[in-house]
Structures are given as structure tokens and as C-alpha cells.
Amino acid sequence: MDLLLLLIIFVASILCFLIFGGLKPLRNGVNKINYGLGARAPEATGSLPIIGHLHLLGGSQLRHKRLGSMAEKFGSIFTIKLGVHRVLVVSNSEMAKACLTTNDRVFASRPKQMSSDLMAYNYANVGDAPYGPYWRHIRKLIVLELASHHRAQMLAHTRVSEVKSYMVDMYKTWVRDKGSSETVMVDMKQWFGNLIVSMVISMMFGNNFARSEHDRKQFRKAIRLWMDISGVFVPSDFIPWLRWLDLGGYEKKMKKTAIEMDDVLSAWLEDQNKKMNSTSTQQVHESRHQTVFMAALLSRVKEEINEDLYGLSTDNIVKATSLAIFAGATDTTTATLTWALSLLVDNPLVLKKAQQELEKHVGRERKVEESDMHNLVYLQAIIKETMRLYPVVPLLVPHESIEDCIVGGYTVPKGTRLLLNAWKIHHDPQIWTNPFEFRPERFVTSEKDIDVKGRNFELIPFGSGRRVCLGMSFALESMQLILASIIHEFEFQNPSNEQIDMTESGGLISHKDSPLELLVAPRLSPHVYEVLL
């Protein structure tokens, strides 16, 4: 966050507060904040009038690391003020468990923010929707569609097909562009991103989603803008009376981006609605299991959702759900794969061990298949260790309490926001030996029983409880297949003799800040790539 912007916010806030606000009267001489069931969690020092602790989260230090440093001083559970909002910061696995098990329902809601209002069809996005009947109903429909055996088979087929296609393209690129060194330079961060986007588009919308490659590129550009701006710091999210100023121009940018995304999704929906209107009800029901995910969801929403109940059109519900699933499935998966390959290239002995496991269970005469995954124990450990070291949502998506509760003996009032510092938990030296070292072996020895699915609070990259990531299975299955395939079929080398730059980007998603440009060469016989040259 730019310090000049903070200064502007501070001055503007004071002016707006004096003009439109004023101190609320105390009841019986005591501020209402002191009422509750017991002691409040300690508040970090350094709060300023109006902006609270916002200034402490500015500067070059990443927010999860800054809050991690504050936890060293104020404890594993403390509070801060971000503008007008009180926030409970949790940096300990036991406290995280208390929040997401005992108090799971209490913390099942989400804070309101401008991006969800303007770019998620007025909080229709299942990831940002407040806890209540609408969220429960949509979540149930998504789980039913994703969990069906037939849908799982269709998704697996699409996943395998896309991965094989991109592997062939990589080999063709090497044949075409290899130099005397018999290698070709590839930006693997971009390569992973293109593969994941293509895979998710095919799974959700089918190959006919866009009428042309130009339309597909436009969609990718629009979704990229949508995801970038969804994770920005918006002053009015913390100090609501600043919204009319639109500091930073975020409201204008969000409205423009929302229109661009809506144009793409509306065109797809128009085609689907025409197909459904020209088909009998019985045929629609029978074809649900033969269609891509979003078409099946559209059919189910039209059957089950009463528009009067939620005040949202079925089309907007489906478009918002599309955005939620797409955003959740693409950026996070891309980031984790980029971190994983970066770590492997920097640790060649680990990479060699993973390739030896692949040769043992797959060999060098065929490609990796999904049926091989259960044998690749060390590869799974590499992915776990990557998500431990570099959780792509280091501060899990914020929760908000819907009633008073108790956490760690402290009273947490209704309306308190909850930030779970997954990065700090994943680097807790009381849990993890040498927590900053890349050691996949820990997950095949001492920590082999710890998984990432929300049952072990020492490792929660996908969150836990009611708000656990709905795309967790897709992410794990996709990452395992892609990482196994890429290191089985290709060798990677850093063109520099230095370690790879592992600088993290800011924002909601923790990306590798710089490209991952590597020298690539095939490691299998030409016939395995099934390429006719």
C-alpha cells in the first residue's frame, strides 16, 4: 500500500468523519465495545484514529509476514482495527481449529466488500456470499454436480486430454526452436497458467464456449483483469464513507471489468438458454448428465431455485457461480505449480528422487496416467510441502462472525472479522522441524498422516469447515497429474547459476512475482510424445 495513499485516506477520513460522522454517545458512560461475555483478545498497539492499524500493513513487507511478526509480539490470537472494522488475527493451529470447528457456523459468513458487490452480481458469488439460505443452497448444488460419479469421470477425461495436448505442444516447441544446446527457453509460469485456464474452460463450459480463438483470448484477458482487481486494497472497504471519493479509481475499474466479464458470460448463457428452450423438459433432465458442468448447473438452478426467494435471476446466479469456480480453480492452482517447479529446480536431488519414483511406477515408455497417482507418494509429499511453504492464500479468505462467541477464552463480538494466518501456522517451529526448509521427506516419515483437506489444522491451504474450498479435489488431482507429467517428460534447468528468485507478490493470491523462465528438453524417447512431425 502506498504511503501517500494512506496519508490521503487519513486526511480524507478525518474530514468525512467530522462532516458526516461524529462520536456515538456512550451508554451509561461506557463504550458499548466493552460489553460481552468475558475478556477481549489483546489489541495490537499502534492504532491510529479512523484508520486503525491500516498503516502497519503498508510498505513493502507482505501482510501475512507483517501479521506473523505481530503475532510474535502480541500472541497467537490478537485483534487489530482496519478502519471501522475489528479483526481477530489467528496464527496458531489450535486457535484455528477452535474457530473452524467449535465456532464453524459462527464464522461461516463473509465480510462485505466492493468487489463482491460490483463484480459478483451483488454477492451471488458462492465464495463471497454471506452465510444463509442462498449460500447453503448454491453450495449444495455445486457439491452435487461435482461429486457425481459421471461428472467426476467427465472432468477426469477433460483433465487428461488437456494435459496431454499441452505436453505435445511443449515437445513441438522444443523440436521447432531448440538451438545447439538442445534446449528451449519456456516461461513455465505462463505455461502453467495457459494450461489451467484452458482446462477449466473445457471442464466448465465445453470446447464450444467461445466461437473463436479471439473470443477465448478476450475471455482470458477479462478473467485476468477480474482476478487482479478482486484482490486489491480498496480504501472504502475499511472506511465506508470514503466510497464517494473513489480513491484509486477502483469503483470505476470494477464496473468496467464487470461489464466485460458479463458480456462474455451472457453470450454463453444465451446459447445455453436457446438450447434448453428448444428441448423438452424430459430431454433436458436426461441430457444433464451429458453436458459440461455449467450447463448442468444452469439446468439444476432453473429447476430448483425460486427467484422470489433470493431476489436474484437464475442467469445471474449461474454467472456468479461460474466466476467463483473459475477464479478459485485457476489462479491458485497455477501459483502452486509454479512454486513447486521452482523449488524442484532449486533442489535437484529432490527432483531426481521424484523422477526415480516415476520411472519405478510408470517407466520411460509411456505417459503418466491418473491411475498412477496413488503410487506416487513422494510426488504427493512434494505438493504438500510446497503448499506448506507457499500457501497461495496465505491469509485465508476473511470470515465474519454472525454472533458472539468464545475463542481461546476470549469473547469475540458479533461482526468481528477473522483472519487466519495460514502462512504463520505452516511455519510454526513448535509443529514443523526446520520450518523454512524444503523437505518433502517430512510427509513420508514423521508427518505422513497430515493431509491438506482441512482435517489437520497444522496444514490448511484450502481452509476448513463450512467455507472450505469447494475446488480442493480438482486442485489436488490437477496438480498431481500436471506436475508428474511435466517432470516425467521433460528436464528443466535454470539458465542462471543463481537460485531462482522466490519473491512473492502481494494481494489475496501469493504468486511468484517474476516469470519462471527455464531451459527445457525432453527426457523420453520421441515415440512417447505421439507427435507426427
Side-chain angles (χ1 to χ4, degrees):
M1 194 190 317
D2 188 86
L3 292 178
L4 178 60
L5 179 58
L6 268 177
L7 179 61
I8 295 172
I9 293 171
F10 183 66
V11 174
S13 299
I14 292 175
L15 291 174
C16 291
F17 186 71
L18 292 174
I19 296 171
F20 302 111
L23 294 174
K24 293 183 179 180
L26 303 182
R27 180 177 296 177
N28 296 328
V30 181
N31 193 316
K32 194 174 180 180
I33 194 67
N34 291 323
Y35 284 94
L37 301 174
R40 301 293 170 84
E43 180 177 311
T45 58
S47 177
L48 296 177
I50 310 297
I51 66 172
H53 296 87
L54 281 173
H55 63 292
L56 297 181
L57 302 185
S60 59
Q61 189 175 25
L62 297 171
R63 276 173 276 181
H64 56 278
K65 294 186 177 181
R66 176 60 176 157
L67 290 171
S69 298
M70 292 171 70
E72 298 291 333
K73 182 177 181 181
F74 302 111
S76 59
I77 177 170
F78 63 94
T79 63
I80 57 175
K81 287 194 68 179
L82 298 182
V84 301
H85 303 294
R86 186 164 297 276
V87 181
L88 183 71
V89 181
V90 170
S91 307
N92 169 278
S93 60
E94 288 301 315
M95 292 300 99
K97 183 177 182 180
C99 291
L100 300 180
T101 54
T102 306
N103 294 301
D104 182 27
R105 184 189 63 82
V106 176
F107 284 114
S109 203
R110 296 290 195 208
K112 289 191 173 182
Q113 54 189 19
M114 186 189 293
S115 60
S116 300
D117 179 17
L118 300 180
M119 300 198 301
Y121 300 92
N122 192 23
Y123 300 95
N125 179 323
V126 69
D128 296 328
Y131 182 70
Y134 170 76
W135 175 81
R136 288 194 295 269
H137 201 156
I138 295 301
R139 184 184 185 278
K140 181 188 75 173
L141 297 187
I142 293 172
V143 171
L144 285 173
E145 284 298 335
L146 285 174
S148 73
H149 177 68
H150 184 75
R151 183 73 56 212
Q153 287 183 317
M154 290 183 67
L155 295 179
H157 173 76
T158 302
R159 180 165 52 243
V160 170
S161 176
E162 289 291 333
V163 170
K164 287 185 175 180
S165 174
Y166 268 73
M167 294 298 165
V168 169
D169 287 345
M170 176 86 83
Y171 184 78
K172 288 181 177 179
T173 299
W174 174 79
V175 171
R176 184 187 68 236
D177 299 337
K178 64 179 177 176
S180 57
S181 64
E182 293 292 305
T183 61
V184 62
M185 183 81 78
V186 178
D187 180 355
M188 292 304 299
K189 178 181 174 181
Q190 184 181 67
W191 189 89
F192 284 134
N194 290 340
L195 168 56
I196 295 298
V197 167
S198 181
M199 181 188 295
V200 176
I201 287 177
S202 296
M203 287 180 175
M204 291 177 60
F205 306 108
N207 293 324
N208 297 322
F209 171 63
R211 297 179 177 86
S212 67
E213 182 59 27
H214 173 74
D215 290 340
R216 277 179 171 257
K217 288 181 179 179
Q218 286 296 105
F219 175 72
R220 290 178 182 178
K221 180 181 177 182
I223 197 71
R224 178 73 264 161
L225 289 171
W226 187 88
M227 288 188 288
D228 284 345
I229 202 167
S230 292
V232 300
F233 168 84
V234 180
S236 61
D237 283 344
F238 306 102
I239 307 171
W241 53 75
L242 290 179
R243 182 162 178 173
W244 66 279
L245 291 173
D246 193 19
L247 294 173
Y250 295 121
E251 184 165 1
K252 182 179 179 181
K253 293 174 186 175
M254 287 181 181
K255 287 179 178 178
K256 182 176 183 294
T257 303
I259 291 171
E260 292 175 359
M261 278 304 313
D262 187 70
D263 287 344
V264 177
L265 292 171
S266 293
W268 176 82
L269 266 177
E270 184 180 355
D271 289 342
Q272 293 300 316
N273 281 319
K274 285 179 180 178
K275 291 177 183 178
M276 292 178 67
N277 291 335
S278 63
T279 307
S280 69
T281 302
Q282 180 63 26
Q283 287 175 315
V284 168
H285 182 76
E286 291 175 351
S287 66
R288 173 187 291 160
H289 301 294
Q290 308 301 321
T291 57
V292 294
F293 175 73
M294 291 314 300
L297 185 63
L298 173 63
S299 174
R300 191 181 285 274
V301 167
K302 283 183 176 291
E303 290 179 11
E304 298 192 21
I305 297 292
N306 182 337
E307 294 188 21
D308 294 333
L309 179 61
Y310 301 121
L312 296 164
S313 71
T314 53
D315 282 359
N316 280 354
I317 289 173
V318 173
K319 286 188 286 188
T321 304
S322 301
L323 288 175
I325 295 175
F326 196 96
T330 52
D331 250 21
T332 52
T333 309
T334 298
T336 301
L337 286 167
T338 304
W339 290 122
L341 187 56
S342 300
L343 288 164
L344 288 174
V345 172
D346 270 349
N347 295 270
L349 293 180
V350 176
L351 174 57
K352 185 65 176 177
K353 188 174 179 179
Q355 289 174 330
Q356 289 172 344
E357 181 182 59
L358 283 159
E359 290 183 11
K360 177 182 177 181
H361 295 289
V362 179
R364 298 178 69 97
E365 296 301 316
R366 68 174 177 88
K367 292 176 177 288
V368 175
E369 301 291 344
E370 290 213 322
S371 58
D372 296 313
M373 292 304 110
H374 70 281
N375 292 320
L376 304 179
V377 177
Y378 192 64
L379 181 113
Q380 294 173 21
I382 288 170
I383 292 174
K384 282 185 183 180
E385 180 72 338
T386 300
M387 289 190 285
R388 185 191 69 80
L389 278 174
Y390 293 94
V392 291
V393 187
L395 294 174
L396 298 185
V397 180
H399 297 243
E400 185 172 276
S401 61
I402 58 176
E403 60 187 50
D404 293 352
C405 66
I406 301 291
V407 178
Y410 295 113
T411 295
V412 179
K414 175 183 177 180
T416 300
R417 298 185 174 190
L418 171 66
L419 280 180
L420 292 164
N421 193 341
W423 178 85
K424 182 65 174 174
I425 293 170
H426 292 185
H427 292 78
D428 186 345
Q430 295 184 18
I431 298 173
W432 308 100
T433 304
N434 300 316
F436 290 90
E437 289 185 13
F438 178 59
R439 293 177 53 196
E441 286 76 13
R442 72 176 85 234
F443 288 109
V444 293
T445 55
S446 59
E447 314 296 347
K448 65 180 180 179
D449 295 327
I450 294 180
D451 66 27
V452 296
K453 298 181 179 180
R455 295 186 292 264
N456 302 106
F457 289 86
E458 305 95 327
L459 190 62
I460 48 172
F462 296 104
S464 184
R466 284 171 169 82
R467 287 287 187 167
V468 70
C469 175
L470 295 179
M472 176 170 54
S473 294
F474 162 81
L476 290 172
E477 290 164 1
S478 299
M479 287 189 294
Q480 290 172 14
L481 179 63
I482 294 169
L483 188 62
S485 298
I486 201 74
I487 65 174
H488 179 56
E489 296 187 31
F490 296 94
E491 296 284 8
F492 296 93
Q493 180 183 346
N494 186 358
S496 168
N497 291 326
E498 300 177 359
Q499 292 285 96
I500 290 174
D501 180 5
M502 301 294 275
T503 303
E504 301 171 57
S505 66
L508 178 65
I509 307 297
S510 179
H511 285 280
K512 182 179 180 300
D513 197 41
S514 57
L516 178 58
E517 295 182 331
L518 299 175
L519 296 175
V520 181
R523 62 186 304 269
L524 305 179
S525 302
H527 71 271
V528 178
Y529 298 93
E530 303 172 0
V531 178
L532 296 176
L533 300 174

